[in-house]
Amino acid sequence: MISIKNAKKTYRMGDEEIKALDDVTFDVKQGEFIAIIGPSGSGKSTLLHTIGGLDSLDNGSITVDGDDLAVLKDRDLARYRNKTVGFIFQNFNLQSRYTALDNVELGLIFAGMPKKERKEKARAALEKVGLADRVSHKPTELSGGQQQRVSIARAMVNSPKVILADEPTGNLDSKSGEKIIELLHDLQQKMNVTILVVTHDDRIAHKADRILRILDGKIVEDVTNGKKEAVKEYTD
Amino acid sequence: MKFIDSIQIAFSNLFRQKLRTLLTIFSIVIGATLISLVYAVIPGFENFLNAQFNSMNSPKLIEIYASKERPGQEFMGSIGSGPEEYKEGDSGSISFDFATFKDADMEKISQVDGVKKVHEIPMPTVEYAKMEEKDKRLKVSYAVYLPEFLQENLNLVAGEKLKDSNSGKMMLANQFVESFGYSNAEEMIGKTIILRVKQQPTFDAVASIAVPSSVTAMEEKVKDYKFEVVGITEKTILSSAVYLSYTDALEMSRFARGSDNVLTDKDEQRIVAWVELDSADRADEVKKKIEELGYSGMTYEESQNILNDIFGVLTIAFSSFGVLAMAVSSLGILNTLVMAVYERTREIGVMKAIGATKKTVALLFTLEAALIGLFGGLIGLGLGFGIAELLNIIGHKTVLSAFDTLDLSNVSSLLLLAPGLSVVVATIAGIYPAIRASKLDPVKALHYE
Ligand SMILES: Nc1ncnc2c1ncn2[C@@H]1O[C@H](COP(=O)(O)OP(=O)(O)O)[C@@H](O)[C@H]1O
Ligand SMILES: [Mg+2]
């Protein structure tokens, strides 16, 4: 499903070179739930951004569902972000003047979907995340957990193959976080979506099929289901 | 993304900063109002004056002058051009050529192929006009012989047109009807009007008397001429004009000037005449022939062009103020949109993350600019036209009351110019912010605070 080969990304800050991704190689199977852990500044977000087509590599390649992202032009890259992947951010990134429904609908507007159809789809997505009675609420009228659920609805409304979540519970209390984790697993199971979650949250890491630990832009540990206990000490 | 959705999003984006948007729109309203006002008022004036011009004119007319250069032409020609070389016989400063027509000249011109008739226009000075049955006396600004061919486009409100042979009959301007106290123009048809002419000897007449002391002692001589009213013209800018036959006008002129020389070889004021053509198509050709004989002339088309040129210059001059105002307001639009791009940086990042192309982002900002232009332009059109309408109403109640056909709030497709131009100007101003927004790095934008 996802194949990353020798991915390199370097940022230059004055004289200093920061290797955000340093020769990263790994494959992801369809429907896998992967937790990406590691200390702050280790390159986790950079990894998600490059997989999501928001950022490009300096070297190496990322192939998602047969598409080599490096060769996609703006138009195709936009379609890729629209149809193949869905983003979930720590700070939700909802548009504050839009209702929950409008926020979820926006990606479908970019996809050129007719109004009636997209309203139905957006409403259905909000129902799935348990916000059927909050469709006309604006983000400021929703709790943090509810806002994040809106952003999950936004990420999945166009039935993507991959969900990329960057610390989705980072801004939430543990109870709301729990609900988000449940939702993500639900998505994985019901829709066979591939999920990559950057997290500091043990609960997420422990429920994942696989844990990738990153340090200074390198994958230093790749643990699949069953060996989770070994990882526990690395989460911070 | 569907275009209708882009417009909807751009429209809702526009009103996020209501005050700022309104101020930006207002800035372009000023220019659009000015331009709309110009295009409502000036064509109205132009149509009116053209109609007036045509009401006593004909494409078959060439106005001819006895001099080689049209009076005033030398002066006009000297504007802007450098000094000319002096030739023997020239006078140093701008001179006026006082060449006059003689009977022989008239004969020569009538022989030119294409000329139907050469008309001379006696214009007696009239002291006043008075109905035979009433005491009220009214001033006459303009008493003139009006040949039949110049009446082609003249509309009457009552009676019939004056024939060249209608000695003892007259036509007059509609304004007399009310001034004489009639409610209906028809009532005046067939009535008798007296025109009083006062003798005001011109210098040649006085000189022929040759006794200076007798000039001051000369008693006032007046003569009354009686006419039957045959026609009333519609209201024109010549609001107190009367129209006479050739023979009557000539006789009155001779009496007024106290001289039988009027329109003879001795007449020193016989400098202009009106050529009636067989056909309007031949105007240029006939004019050329007449000029080859040593006279000058101006065709109907040329005089109409002069009028049109004047309005063309006026239109450009006034509307360029509006264009200038718009150009200035484009800076305001640019500023507003650059600010909007800053404010919406994170939002632009989100849009890109969920599938907006660069083109979509650019389109949204460009449309926002275009909408500012459209609203500004439409409001400007409304205001400009409203002001024109107001001028029209106030004008017609006051100074312009006599001119029903003068429409200062003229409706034409030219009115679309202001909204069109403001959309174009605003859209151009939106290009830079739009490109800037589309080029934002989504990752940086998503983390922008
Ligand atoms: N746009 C950027 N310019 C410069 N350095 C950057 C930029 N983005 C990320 N970095 C650096 O790259 C490294 C990895 O960042 P990031 O992927 O955000 O780490 P994480 O998400 O694991 O905290 C960090 O050292 C960060 O400072
Ligand atoms: Mg991060």
Side-chain angles (χ1 to χ4, degrees):
Chain A
M1 179 69 214
I2 303 174
S3 176
I4 299 167
K5 286 198 171 67
N6 309 108
K8 282 184 186 155
K9 176 92 187 168
T10 310
Y11 290 110
R12 232 168 292 272
M13 298 284 281
D15 292 341
E16 212 185 339
E17 275 198 351
I18 299 162
K19 288 181 173 167
L21 292 178
D22 190 4
D23 205 13
V24 170
T25 300
F26 68 97
D27 288 312
V28 179
K29 287 201 282 285
Q30 166 108 34
E32 250 187 323
F33 192 119
I34 300 181
I36 300 166
I37 60 172
S40 186
S42 55
K44 306 182 297 293
S45 295
T46 306
L47 182 62
L48 282 201
H49 293 151
T50 50
I51 294 172
L54 286 178
D55 210 347
S56 56
L57 295 175
D58 296 338
N59 257 309
S61 70
I62 300 177
T63 311
V64 180
D65 200 24
D67 277 329
D68 179 358
L69 300 193
V71 303
L72 296 185
K73 296 274 176 296
D74 177 61
R75 211 184 126 96
D76 297 318
L77 209 52
R79 183 177 305 157
Y80 167 78
R81 296 192 288 242
N82 188 257
K83 294 219 156 75
T84 310
V85 297
F87 276 98
I88 297 167
F89 305 97
Q90 179 176 358
N91 58 359
F92 324 132
N93 271 328
L94 297 174
Q95 309 220 13
S96 56
R97 71 208 165 85
Y98 282 171
T99 62
L101 191 74
D102 294 339
N103 268 288
V104 176
E105 199 187 330
L106 192 58
L108 301 177
I109 293 179
F110 294 145
M113 193 179 283
K115 194 167 187 163
K116 197 168 166 254
E117 193 182 340
R118 67 183 193 234
K119 293 256 182 231
E120 274 167 20
K121 273 193 110 171
R123 200 176 290 274
L126 283 167
E127 259 165 48
K128 260 184 216 156
V129 299
L131 291 175
D133 54 346
R134 295 285 188 278
V135 288
S136 328
H137 285 58
K138 292 195 173 165
T140 47
E141 299 157 357
L142 297 170
S143 71
Q146 288 171 328
Q147 288 185 54
Q148 194 61 301
R149 280 190 273 155
V150 172
S151 83
I152 290 174
R154 179 179 64 187
M156 56 163 278
V157 70
N158 217 4
S159 315
K161 299 208 162 73
V162 181
I163 295 267
L164 303 167
D166 198 345
E167 304 191 32
T169 59
N171 279 10
L172 303 177
D173 59 87
S174 66
K175 200 164 161 254
S176 308
E178 202 92 47
K179 176 97 188 166
I180 298 302
I181 298 162
E182 261 172 50
L183 263 173
L184 290 176
H185 276 280
D186 217 40
L187 278 182
Q188 182 207 11
Q189 255 127 55
K190 286 191 185 143
M191 300 171 76
N192 197 27
V193 182
T194 309
I195 298 182
L196 279 78
V197 186
V198 168
T199 188
H200 292 286
D201 191 331
D202 284 355
R203 292 167 303 171
I204 294 187
H206 282 269
K207 281 189 186 167
D209 301 329
R210 183 177 167 194
I211 298 169
L212 289 177
R213 197 168 92 85
I214 296 189
L215 188 65
D216 294 335
K218 287 190 176 72
I219 296 186
V220 293
E221 189 126 30
D222 184 346
V223 188
T224 38
N225 207 358
K227 290 186 187 170
K228 279 174 197 162
E229 289 309 311
V231 180
K232 191 175 181 187
E233 58 193 289
Y234 298 116
T235 56
D236 46 14
Chain B
M1 181 168 187
K2 292 201 161 54
F3 190 64
I4 178 82
D5 291 323
S6 332
I7 289 184
Q8 230 165 49
I9 293 178
F11 183 83
S12 77
N13 280 341
L14 199 55
F15 292 100
R16 289 162 70 169
Q17 295 280 344
K18 289 191 189 63
L19 183 64
R20 190 173 71 197
T21 298
L22 285 177
L23 289 176
T24 310
I25 288 177
F26 179 73
S27 79
I28 205 159
V29 164
I30 298 169
T33 304
L34 262 169
I35 294 174
S36 300
L37 185 60
V38 168
Y39 281 102
V41 170
I42 292 187
F45 260 116
E46 187 171 7
N47 290 347
F48 175 73
L49 281 187
N50 258 319
Q52 291 287 326
F53 172 85
N54 282 316
S55 70
M56 281 171 237
N57 211 328
S58 161
K60 286 187 190 158
L61 171 69
I62 302 179
E63 205 172 309
I64 57 167
Y65 308 93
S67 50
K68 238 181 157 36
E69 291 241 32
R70 229 155 57 208
Q73 187 163 295
E74 190 179 356
F75 174 70
M76 294 298 281
S78 73
I79 295 173
S81 60
E84 280 173 39
E85 194 180 334
Y86 175 81
K87 287 196 278 321
E88 209 54 51
D90 284 356
S91 63
S93 60
I94 289 169
S95 61
F96 293 97
D97 180 351
F98 286 113
T100 54
F101 283 120
K102 308 284 180 241
D103 289 343
D105 296 314
M106 294 305 176
E107 188 54 34
K108 245 199 297 186
I109 295 164
S110 355
Q111 296 307 314
V112 171
D113 186 31
V115 172
K116 189 172 177 190
K117 196 173 174 197
V118 183
H119 298 265
E120 291 192 82
I121 314 293
M123 271 179 69
T125 313
V126 172
E127 191 69 6
Y128 62 77
K130 173 184 173 304
M131 304 293 300
E132 196 180 38
E133 59 189 44
K134 294 187 180 220
D135 289 333
K136 193 168 190 183
R137 299 182 298 187
L138 295 174
K139 280 190 189 169
V140 173
S141 63
Y142 192 70
V144 67
Y145 159 56
L146 190 64
E148 279 177 51
F149 85 103
L150 294 180
Q151 296 182 40
E152 279 166 15
N153 298 315
L154 181 66
N155 295 317
L156 298 188
V157 293
E160 53 196 37
K161 290 178 182 175
L162 188 68
K163 298 207 173 58
D164 287 354
S165 57
N166 273 169
S167 183
K169 302 197 168 156
M170 79 186 309
M171 216 164 43
L172 30 74
N174 196 2
Q175 284 90 338
F176 279 105
V177 175
E178 204 181 309
S179 299
F180 272 128
Y182 294 96
S183 53
N184 188 338
E186 293 290 349
E187 292 176 51
M188 277 187 80
I189 303 298
K191 295 264 160 59
T192 304
I193 280 191
I194 295 162
L195 295 183
R196 166 157 300 189
V197 178
K198 191 155 110 189
Q199 198 162 76
Q200 288 160 327
T202 51
F203 188 68
D204 61 322
V206 174
S208 68
I209 296 166
V211 186
S213 61
S214 71
V215 175
T216 46
M218 199 165 65
E219 63 183 289
E220 222 177 52
K221 280 172 79 178
V222 295
K223 194 165 173 184
D224 288 342
Y225 294 82
K226 280 189 186 181
F227 295 93
E228 182 198 340
V229 176
V230 292
I232 309 283
T233 74
E234 67 180 358
K235 282 180 182 171
T236 71
I237 43 178
L238 302 172
S239 53
S240 50
V242 301
Y243 306 97
L244 311 169
S245 68
Y246 176 75
T247 39
D248 294 335
L250 180 61
E251 196 191 323
M252 287 161 73
S253 287
R254 287 182 172 166
F255 178 79
R257 277 161 63 184
S259 161
D260 284 342
N261 293 341
V262 175
L263 299 185
T264 68
D265 283 0
K266 287 182 192 158
D267 187 349
E268 292 182 1
Q269 296 176 20
R270 197 183 181 190
I271 57 172
V272 58
W274 293 352
V275 165
E276 178 183 355
L277 297 167
D278 286 328
S279 140
D281 307 338
R282 300 184 65 185
D284 291 331
E285 171 203 336
V286 173
K287 182 196 156 179
K288 210 168 147 211
K289 281 187 202 149
I290 291 172
E291 289 189 332
E292 277 162 9
L293 294 175
Y295 313 102
S296 55
M298 181 155 67
T299 62
Y300 166 85
E301 203 184 327
E302 284 171 321
S303 50
Q304 193 162 48
N305 285 345
I306 290 175
L307 193 67
N308 291 344
D309 285 351
I310 290 171
F311 281 104
V313 168
L314 280 179
T315 306
I316 290 171
F318 282 112
S319 50
S320 51
F321 284 115
V323 172
L324 197 73
M326 266 190 199
V328 172
S329 63
S330 72
L331 295 177
I333 295 172
L334 181 73
N335 179 58
T336 292
L337 287 168
V338 167
M339 276 168 79
V341 172
Y342 271 120
E343 289 162 2
R344 297 181 209 157
T345 297
R346 203 131 74 92
E347 186 179 320
I348 293 165
V350 175
M351 294 201 319
K352 288 190 163 183
I354 64 173
T357 58
K358 282 182 183 163
K359 240 170 142 181
T360 297
V361 174
L363 180 68
L364 288 176
F365 278 93
T366 311
L367 281 176
E368 204 170 321
L371 285 174
I372 290 176
L374 182 66
F375 290 134
L378 289 178
I379 295 170
L381 170 62
L383 270 178
F385 194 74
I387 294 171
E389 189 68 49
L390 211 66
L391 285 178
N392 207 20
I393 292 169
I394 295 172
H396 281 291
K397 282 195 174 141
T398 57
V399 287
L400 304 174
S401 56
F403 311 119
D404 311 335
T405 53
L406 172 57
D407 183 8
L408 293 183
S409 50
N410 190 58
V411 178
S412 73
S413 55
L414 286 174
L415 286 177
L416 295 177
L417 212 84
L421 201 63
S422 55
V423 168
V424 169
V425 166
T427 306
I428 290 171
I431 289 175
Y432 169 72
I435 289 177
R436 208 173 149 136
S438 74
K439 283 191 172 163
L440 279 179
D441 175 352
V443 174
K444 281 185 190 154
L446 279 167
H447 295 96
Y448 184 87
E449 292 307 325

